[in-house]
Amino acid sequence: MYVISVQFKKKKHILLSQIGASLCYLIVYVIKGAWSGAAIEVLEELKDISFIQIEKKKKKIPFLVLFVFLSLLVAVSIIFYDGPFSLLPLIITVLLFTSTYFKNPKYIRWTMLFSGILWGIYNLSLGAYIILIGNVLEVISA
């Protein structure tokens, strides 16, 4: 689904497809016991839904909303800290959250390219090969 999201021209469609992808990733992370990744996927879904609802009203997303989500990301990363490598999902998601804050979908696509590579490294280390395949396809399609 992330592969498809890169192809959309409108930010709303990108975020909607990312909600579906995050749900799939969430399931795999729960099965793998990767609680940091699972918690971050939940935040990803909540952020996407919030951003869509705010922009549906033709409003700019307040910086405070982004700040709250970034703060929650940091809190999740502290709670599930398991060595320096467990911070990789935090770094990736901060980049993604920040890119989706902006209106221009071009920022999202470029960030997805870079984050797809980083997620691939993370998922390879977890043995989450199904998601890794998605990461590779995401990078190729970006």
Side-chain angles (χ1 to χ4, degrees):
M1 289 190 163
Y2 265 105
V3 173
I4 295 169
S5 72
V6 178
Q7 305 308 317
F8 288 117
K9 302 291 183 218
K10 292 186 177 181
K11 180 180 173 183
K12 177 183 176 182
H13 297 139
I14 292 171
L15 295 179
L16 283 171
S17 66
Q18 286 181 352
I19 291 169
S22 289
L23 182 59
C24 295
Y25 289 178
L26 172 63
I27 292 167
V28 174
Y29 288 142
V30 168
I31 290 169
K32 290 288 192 181
W35 302 113
S36 175
I40 285 174
E41 290 302 331
V42 169
L43 287 175
E44 175 81 31
E45 290 184 29
L46 293 173
K47 184 265 308 170
D48 287 344
I49 291 167
S50 299
F51 281 17
I52 289 169
Q53 291 301 315
I54 292 168
E55 288 185 335
K56 184 189 285 186
K57 297 174 185 173
K58 305 274 192 245
K59 295 183 178 177
K60 182 175 175 10
I61 300 164
F63 181 76
L64 180 61
V65 173
L66 176 64
F67 180 78
V68 167
F69 278 108
L70 292 175
S71 299
L72 289 170
L73 276 173
V74 170
V76 163
S77 296
I78 291 169
I79 292 167
F80 294 106
Y81 182 78
D82 188 28
F85 195 69
S86 69
L87 295 176
L88 187 57
L90 168 68
I91 295 165
I92 298 165
T93 311
V94 164
L95 293 172
L96 286 169
F97 276 28
T98 305
S99 73
T100 56
Y101 171 76
F102 298 103
K103 192 88 170 152
N104 191 338
K106 178 173 59 173
Y107 298 124
I108 300 171
R109 284 191 204 92
W110 278 106
T111 306
M112 286 177 68
L113 172 68
F114 181 66
S115 68
I117 294 167
L118 295 176
W119 274 123
I121 293 166
Y122 180 76
N123 291 319
L124 180 63
S125 74
L126 285 178
Y129 301 116
I130 297 295
I131 299 176
L132 176 62
I133 292 168
N135 297 135
V136 170
L137 293 172
E138 177 186 335
V139 169
I140 291 169
S141 68

